[in-house]
Amino acid sequence: MAEDERRFPNSASQASPVLTVRDLVIDFAGGGTPFRALHGVSFDIPAARTLALVGESGSGKSVTAQAILRILPRSAAITGGSLVFADPAGGKRIDIARLDADGKPMRRLRGGRIAMIFQEPMTSLSPLHTVGDQVAEAVTLHRDITAKEARREAEAVFARVGFADPARVFDTYPFELSGGMRQRAMIAMALICRPALLIADEPTTALDVTTQAQILDLMRDLQAETGMAILLITHDLGVVANMADTMAVMYRGRIVESGARDALFRDPRHPYLKALLKAVPRFGMQPGERLTPIREAVAIAPVAAAERPAAARGPILIIDDVSKTYTRRAGLFRKNVGEVRAVSHVSLSLPPGRTLGLVGESGCGKTTLSKIVMRAIPASGGRVLFDDGKGANTGPRDIATLTGDDLMAFRRDVQFVFQDPFSSLNPRMTVYELLTEPLVIHGVGDSDAHYRRAVELVERVGLERRHLRRYPHSFSGGQRQRLGIARALALRPRLLLCDEPVSALDVSVQAQVLNLLKDLQTAMGLSYLFVSHNLAVVDYIADEIAVMCRGYIVEQAPKQVLFSNPHHPYTRALLAAVPSPDLDHPLDFAALRSGSFSDPAQWPMPFRLQPGHVGTMQDLGNGHRVRIGVHTVEEAA
Amino acid sequence: MREQLATPHFVDAQPFDPGVSDPGRHEDERFYRASSLALIWWKFRRNRLAVVSAFVLLFFYAMVPFVEVIAPYGQSERNGDFLYAPPQPVHLFHDGEFVGPFVYPYSFTFNKETFTRDYVVDRTAPQRLRFFCQGSPYRFWGLVEMRFRLVCPPEGGTFFLMGTDRLGRDLLSRIIYGARISLVIGLVGIGVSFALGLFFGGVAGYLGGWVDSAIQRLIEILRSLPELPLWLALSAALPANWSPVAVFFGITIILGLLDWPGLARAVRSKLLALREEDFVKAAELMGASRTRIIARHLIPNFMSHLIASATLSIPSMILGETALSFLGLGLRPPVTSWGVLLNEAQNLAAVSLQPWLLWPIVPVVLVVLAFNFVGDGLRDAADPYHE
């Protein structure tokens, strides 16, 4: 209650909605077949409140936002309904649907009274202008104001969105800022004209979880302060649970359920929302509990014993003290100016038939590590050992020494599942060609055998035989990811490296792919190295989890241990920052406000690492290990 | 508990159909199975201007092998009585009566005051054109002696649809003959520059490192040389005693040699972009050989873009030949190209007294525009996967 009083000191002011959308219909003509994107969408956004618009890609969320700002693509048109904007600051009620999209009244609203922040902070700021120029431009466009005043206002709003040194930020270029800082700058740009309505289209999807929590916190604060309404477009039910007052669930261009957040979360009535809530991985799932995909499409055929790889006795993969440093060069003669440690002294091992989850935020070195394991890049120090389990005489072998046939055998045994299902399949090859390419490269079998294998593979990942003649462009993201997995399975590998395999997919499809991976593991005895930034996903799929930060493994434990008893401050911050789609576990924004969880020099004792120091892994029993600074050992002694 | 808004809980009454599997974007099996070539064609077909231009080009190039049959006169056939004769229009009706395609004969008188020939049209005696007829003899493709032509002048008369030049040669026939050289030079030149561009761009893009830098610097040097003087210098270096055919190939190769940097850059940038695609990395990680990656993954994906940019640079070849020949440094008579024909229209007298000598400009403009439109259409269609 106390929090609500802080947010809504004056409850009477929120009576009338800022935006009333009624029976909005949008049609796409142009080019291909005509297509109705919205079939009569209605909702209200009350002042000082947040409406969350939830749905999978293609459901019409973004089209709705574009319609409100009248920035629809040329081929789309509003063919019915109304979008009535009632400015709480006074003035007439305006039906945006009737305005000329490029006319003056619309331009005055756009950016002035209705502002928008976009998903991708990397591309929504112009790289050629300073951040300050771009933010000040927003205000000079809408108000008659001198450059000096604009600068003062911009600096004030920079201070408000949490920049420590607003005057300096004014003169920086976007490339000098991190993703989270850019998103703050975008918010500053949206807020400088004090809009009555802020449209946030997936504002935190491209950000790391700890940064996401800070940005969400900032949006809540600003809303309490300015009383603006927020239309939050997202697919993340965790964000919705923490941000929204009311929500509307969209599916294929219509609103299937809407109402107060609590009512929808506690008593979902439409089958789509019910299914969606069950499809999201969350913490504290029972061991063996399965996600329920919205469309269960995958049936795993039982696998003959012959297809199961011979089990290695020891770990299938041992990463032994691996480091990777990059030399930074600069200047005319490319002098070495310093070293960047992407991976520092990482040691991990993966038992056969198990899943090792590698968690960390962007830039922590997890992808570099997976590339070293693939032998796509060489390590600067340490060894990666792989046990193909084929002969008693071989045992684990250092992959860096493999050549010729041994290297080809290694390439057969270790396969990769990519993050982006769109760029990982060659658009000019049919599914048949894609699936048989590994067989052709490795010269396995004749064309009859190839055909049989391809049929087996598509059916194993829940697609059909007739899909073999199709091209990738005819498949959705989830289907393409299944094809990527099928291709990885073609050579009967023993180890799959999955680099964020579900982070580009809709929540509703994620569950399918995760279940497929789990079932394949059970059926075929595969081992996975699963790299992800999403803790809930890793929690669902992994047996053992290693948390990476700045190239170090900071904590490593079996998953139940790690999630019930995290020791390292970074792990704790990560866990605390994940928004849970559960009203009973709200984010603790206050705890996340302090900021730098990922700077080893600022971790509390005994975890603090001095620059250049590695620290040691301390064993806490039960396979739970945590990195602590070396100096504390000395002090303790 | 947080304060609840009095928002009604709305549930859509429509039945929920999650679909059997996640839906694809279209429901058409033909689309699913369409190769990228088919997709490119479907997308290209939607661009009307490009399709019309493609037909124009097809029409011009279809003429190339059969110029002797189509032209009413031979390439160097002189009509001493009809120097600088004006165009002779085709009529259909004589005295309100349908006669079929015919021309009125003309005769000239020498104007002693202006020292020009004044042609007088005789409107009383229509002369019908002959079709599918026996005209002046020629060697078809240099092999067979033939006399068959599509159109012949009337018996004992003349048919100069676009007039004649200073030696009394039919301009229409010469434009048709010139098309052969001018159109082929664009293709051969682009072939040379395509091969060079593909090689240098491919090597630079795929190998990278110092090879890339060296090729980039070479391109920059080539690009920094002023184009026209370089052409002039190179064509002047062609020995004067070469046969016209040898000069023709020399010029083509010069044009190709100077045009490849643009294509090489296109190849390189496309390769660099493609190399970052996950499917190329996937093939590398599968253990695919370099040749396989280039042949199966890289070339198919950038070929369509390259063909588009090659199409866009054919006009510059044709214009280059025209410019060189116009300046008298390219092809030399008796070889006939559009540039050579324009060379004859170089003086002011021609423009004021014999404006029909400028006719060769029309096919040049048509072909150049058509190539540009087709190239634009191809470029837009080259990547069928993005709307």
Side-chain angles (χ1 to χ4, degrees):
Chain A
M1 270 325 230
E3 189 200 329
D4 281 316
E5 277 163 26
R6 183 179 64 77
R7 293 187 66 196
F8 307 112
N10 175 4
S11 293
S13 71
Q14 29 137 331
S16 72
V18 173
L19 186 75
T20 312
V21 179
R22 285 292 172 268
D23 304 318
L24 185 64
V25 180
I26 290 176
D27 283 307
F28 278 78
T33 42
F35 161 71
R36 177 155 288 191
L38 295 187
H39 306 258
V41 163
S42 305
F43 56 81
D44 292 335
I45 311 176
R49 292 302 178 118
T50 301
L51 169 74
L53 207 51
V54 187
E56 58 194 29
S57 55
S59 62
K61 302 173 294 190
S62 294
V63 172
T64 310
Q66 288 168 350
I68 295 171
L69 282 172
R70 297 299 302 275
I71 49 173
L72 284 166
R74 222 172 263 247
S75 53
I78 300 179
T79 41
S82 63
L83 287 157
V84 176
F85 178 69
D87 198 331
K92 279 188 305 189
R93 292 158 58 85
I94 305 168
D95 185 357
I96 294 174
R98 305 260 171 282
L99 292 181
D100 171 16
D102 298 318
K104 200 160 184 199
M106 192 60 231
R107 275 186 288 136
R108 203 176 300 140
L109 282 183
R110 195 188 292 142
R113 303 306 299 152
I114 307 177
M116 180 155 181
I117 49 181
F118 296 90
Q119 173 173 357
E120 196 45 77
M122 297 300 169
T123 53
S124 40
L125 288 168
S126 158
L128 289 179
H129 299 95
T130 62
V131 176
D133 276 347
Q134 298 181 53
V135 174
E137 184 192 13
V139 70
T140 45
L141 277 179
H142 290 281
R143 275 194 281 152
D144 192 16
I145 194 174
T146 66
K148 214 169 185 180
E149 285 168 325
R151 180 174 180 124
R152 201 164 46 239
E153 294 226 359
E155 285 180 9
V157 75
F158 280 141
R160 185 60 206 86
V161 298
F163 282 107
D165 186 353
R168 207 180 61 76
V169 169
F170 192 93
D171 294 315
T172 54
Y173 285 89
F175 71 88
E176 299 174 72
L177 300 175
S178 67
M181 287 297 156
R182 278 183 223 195
Q183 201 60 306
R184 279 174 199 269
M186 277 302 295
I187 293 176
M189 194 193 289
L191 291 185
I192 193 163
C193 291
R194 300 190 194 93
L197 172 62
L198 176 69
I199 300 174
D201 189 356
E202 306 264 7
T204 55
T205 308
L207 304 177
D208 285 324
V209 275
T210 51
T211 321
Q212 160 170 297
Q214 287 165 2
I215 296 286
L216 295 180
D217 185 30
L218 174 67
M219 287 171 59
R220 280 163 58 110
D221 264 8
L222 291 168
Q223 182 176 44
E225 191 182 300
T226 64
M228 67 183 171
I230 296 180
L231 173 62
L232 177 68
I233 296 175
T234 183
H235 67 274
D236 187 339
L237 288 168
V239 172
V240 177
N242 281 285
M243 293 291 291
D245 296 294
T246 55
M247 61 188 276
V249 183
M250 285 191 88
Y251 181 71
R252 298 211 188 160
R254 55 177 88 243
I255 301 234
V256 293
E257 188 161 359
S258 67
R261 176 196 60 177
D262 294 37
L264 263 69
F265 269 95
R266 300 208 190 275
D267 177 25
R269 290 185 197 155
H270 194 274
Y272 178 67
L273 180 59
K274 281 186 196 168
L276 202 59
L277 285 166
K278 277 191 207 137
V280 187
R282 46 195 186 277
F283 294 130
M285 290 177 71
Q286 298 304 313
E289 185 183 346
R290 270 174 81 84
L291 293 176
T292 324
I294 290 178
R295 307 170 191 97
E296 184 74 78
V298 184
I300 301 295
V303 175
E307 202 176 310
R308 298 179 67 104
R313 288 162 305 282
I316 185 168
L317 179 75
I318 302 170
I319 299 170
D320 180 16
D321 200 33
V322 165
S323 296
K324 176 76 190 172
T325 50
Y326 288 101
T327 319
R328 273 208 315 223
R329 295 167 193 277
L332 190 57
F333 298 103
R334 324 252 315 138
K335 260 197 318 220
N336 291 2
V337 294
E339 286 194 331
V340 181
R341 273 180 176 265
V343 175
S344 301
H345 302 278
V346 167
S347 297
L348 292 168
S349 73
L350 170 61
R354 311 287 283 181
T355 302
L356 174 63
L358 200 55
V359 187
E361 297 185 299
S362 54
C364 73
K366 53 191 191 314
T367 298
T368 311
L369 185 64
S370 70
K371 282 186 183 158
I372 293 173
V373 173
M374 275 312 287
R375 227 188 104 166
I377 52 174
S380 336
R383 300 181 303 164
V384 177
L385 303 174
F386 178 74
D387 187 356
D388 64 6
K390 291 217 176 88
N393 52 340
T394 53
R397 287 203 287 175
D398 187 347
I399 62 163
T401 62
L402 298 177
T403 50
D405 287 350
D406 288 343
L407 179 59
M408 284 305 259
F410 171 75
R411 293 256 178 259
R412 265 203 296 282
D413 280 341
V414 182
Q415 293 288 323
F416 203 87
V417 177
F418 288 86
Q419 171 175 6
D420 180 0
F422 289 90
S423 95
S424 60
L425 303 177
N426 186 342
R428 315 227 166 195
M429 290 166 91
T430 59
V431 170
Y432 178 76
E433 289 171 310
L434 285 167
L435 293 184
T436 53
E437 190 183 20
L439 304 173
V440 175
I441 289 172
H442 288 269
V444 183
D446 54 11
S447 63
D448 282 349
H450 287 179
Y451 179 71
R452 281 197 305 275
R453 184 79 184 138
V455 172
E456 225 172 275
L457 287 168
V458 278
E459 286 174 355
R460 176 146 311 151
V461 296
L463 297 172
E464 293 165 46
R465 185 183 295 228
R466 67 191 169 90
H467 291 154
L468 284 175
R469 280 187 53 199
R470 291 188 182 173
Y471 283 85
H473 64 83
S474 62
F475 295 97
S476 66
Q479 289 174 323
R480 280 160 168 254
Q481 199 59 307
R482 300 213 293 261
L483 287 174
I485 293 171
R487 178 177 63 183
L489 295 178
L491 291 165
R492 300 191 168 90
R494 301 152 52 72
L495 172 62
L496 278 194
L497 299 186
C498 307
D499 187 1
E500 306 262 13
V502 295
S503 55
L505 304 179
D506 272 320
V507 185
S508 51
V509 183
Q510 270 187 15
Q512 256 182 30
V513 172
L514 290 174
N515 281 349
L516 171 68
L517 284 170
K518 274 199 143 178
D519 294 345
L520 288 170
Q521 181 164 48
T522 329
M524 301 169 67
L526 294 168
S527 317
Y528 294 147
L529 178 62
F530 193 96
V531 177
S532 178
H533 70 280
N534 187 331
L535 281 157
V537 166
V538 173
D539 179 30
Y540 180 63
I541 195 132
D543 302 299
E544 171 137 351
I545 296 175
V547 181
M548 253 186 120
C549 176
R550 295 281 171 102
Y552 302 106
I553 300 287
V554 295
E555 190 162 5
Q556 184 190 352
K559 83 172 163 196
Q560 296 86 353
V561 178
L562 187 85
F563 285 102
S564 60
N565 187 18
H567 264 70
H568 199 278
Y570 179 71
T571 316
R572 289 182 179 189
L574 268 188
L575 283 170
V578 179
S580 162
D582 183 349
L583 296 180
D584 301 326
H585 295 102
L587 281 180
D588 183 1
F589 285 113
L592 290 161
R593 222 161 270 166
S594 58
S596 49
F597 310 103
S598 55
D599 186 356
Q602 289 188 30
W603 286 332
M605 298 298 249
F607 304 102
R608 186 170 303 162
L609 297 179
Q610 297 306 330
H613 285 256
V614 187
T616 56
M617 290 298 271
Q618 193 180 44
D619 202 331
L620 304 173
N622 286 335
H624 189 172
R625 293 163 7 114
V626 65
R627 185 170 298 273
I628 53 168
V630 168
H631 50 93
T632 54
V633 177
E634 286 156 5
E635 281 161 23
Chain B
M1 277 297 291
R2 285 169 57 100
E3 171 201 8
Q4 289 282 309
L5 278 180
T7 312
H9 190 155
F10 161 82
V11 182
D12 191 18
Q14 292 238 346
F16 172 61
D17 166 33
V20 191
S21 172
D22 28 5
R25 292 182 303 139
H26 299 254
E27 294 301 331
D28 185 358
E29 190 69 24
R30 191 175 80 104
F31 174 76
Y32 292 153
R33 292 189 175 177
S35 70
S36 56
L37 207 64
L39 291 175
I40 289 174
W41 167 235
W42 292 346
K43 202 166 172 191
F44 180 79
R45 214 170 45 180
R46 293 216 301 261
N47 185 339
R48 291 247 177 81
L49 188 58
V51 174
V52 170
S53 303
F55 276 112
V56 169
L57 288 181
L58 214 64
F59 170 76
F60 272 104
Y61 275 93
M63 287 196 334
V64 165
F66 308 109
V67 289
E68 291 95 341
V69 181
I70 296 163
Y73 289 94
Q75 180 176 195
S76 324
E77 204 174 318
R78 295 176 56 175
N79 299 279
D81 293 341
F82 296 95
L83 310 183
Y84 285 133
Q88 209 175 1
V90 176
H91 299 265
L92 290 177
F93 294 93
H94 177 65
D95 280 349
E97 218 175 302
F98 181 76
V99 192
F102 69 90
V103 292
Y104 290 114
Y106 45 35
S107 53
F108 76 88
T109 53
F110 196 76
N111 188 326
K112 297 227 169 62
E113 279 164 29
T114 57
F115 292 101
T116 53
R117 290 155 188 270
D118 291 343
Y119 283 88
V120 183
V121 178
D122 176 7
R123 294 202 166 265
T124 57
Q127 295 178 321
R128 289 187 55 176
L129 296 176
R130 295 179 293 150
F131 293 94
F132 307 108
C133 44
Q134 299 293 314
S136 50
Y138 57 88
R139 291 185 80 85
F140 189 61
W141 294 355
L143 300 174
V144 195
E145 186 84 21
M146 281 173 74
R147 293 171 63 92
F148 176 76
R149 284 178 191 274
L150 218 53
V151 183
C152 305
E155 291 284 2
T158 57
F159 175 48
F160 302 129
L161 190 63
M162 293 181 181
T164 64
D165 64 5
R166 71 192 153 84
L167 296 176
R169 293 173 297 195
D170 176 37
L171 200 60
L172 174 66
S173 306
R174 286 175 64 73
I175 287 176
I176 293 173
Y177 274 95
R180 179 177 273 177
I181 300 286
S182 289
L183 292 177
V184 169
I185 207 164
L187 288 191
V188 176
I190 215 67
V192 173
S193 104
F194 203 75
L196 288 170
L198 207 58
F199 176 74
F200 283 107
V203 167
Y206 197 77
L207 295 182
W210 67 268
V211 182
D212 183 22
S213 306
I215 291 173
Q216 290 305 305
R217 298 301 87 75
L218 177 67
I219 288 177
E220 277 150 22
I221 291 169
L222 274 175
R223 288 242 138 166
S224 66
L225 298 173
E227 209 166 47
L228 200 59
L230 194 64
W231 278 350
L232 296 182
L234 284 172
S235 353
L238 293 181
N241 55 357
W242 274 16
S243 74
V245 176
V247 171
F248 167 69
F249 279 108
I251 297 283
T252 318
I253 286 164
I254 289 169
L255 290 172
L257 278 178
L258 294 180
D259 190 69
W260 65 266
L263 266 174
R265 286 224 160 137
V267 173
R268 172 177 174 272
S269 62
K270 199 71 206 153
L271 260 182
L272 287 182
L274 274 177
R275 265 179 60 183
E276 295 306 310
E277 293 277 341
D278 280 346
F279 64 81
V280 176
K281 269 186 229 154
E284 276 168 8
L285 289 179
M286 272 177 228
S289 64
R290 260 189 189 186
T291 354
R292 184 180 172 86
I293 288 172
I294 293 175
R296 289 291 281 148
H297 296 283
L298 298 181
I299 291 183
N301 276 292
F302 71 53
M303 223 20 148
S304 54
H305 296 264
L306 278 195
I307 289 172
S309 44
T311 312
L312 284 172
S313 48
I314 292 179
S316 72
M317 294 277 168
I318 294 175
L319 289 176
E321 181 274 324
T322 312
L324 277 182
S325 304
F326 177 77
L327 293 173
L329 285 154
L331 304 175
R332 286 182 279 263
V335 173
T336 311
S337 78
W338 293 340
V340 170
L341 294 180
L342 284 174
N343 183 28
E344 292 173 6
Q346 234 177 22
N347 53 58
L348 206 59
V351 179
S352 62
L353 296 175
Q354 292 96 25
W356 56 87
L357 288 184
L358 296 174
W359 266 112
I361 292 176
V362 174
V364 172
V365 169
L366 273 181
V367 167
V368 166
L369 278 181
F371 265 119
N372 277 322
F373 291 141
V374 170
D376 264 349
L378 280 178
R379 192 174 49 192
D380 292 344
D383 192 351
Y385 304 105
H386 296 107
E387 283 302 317

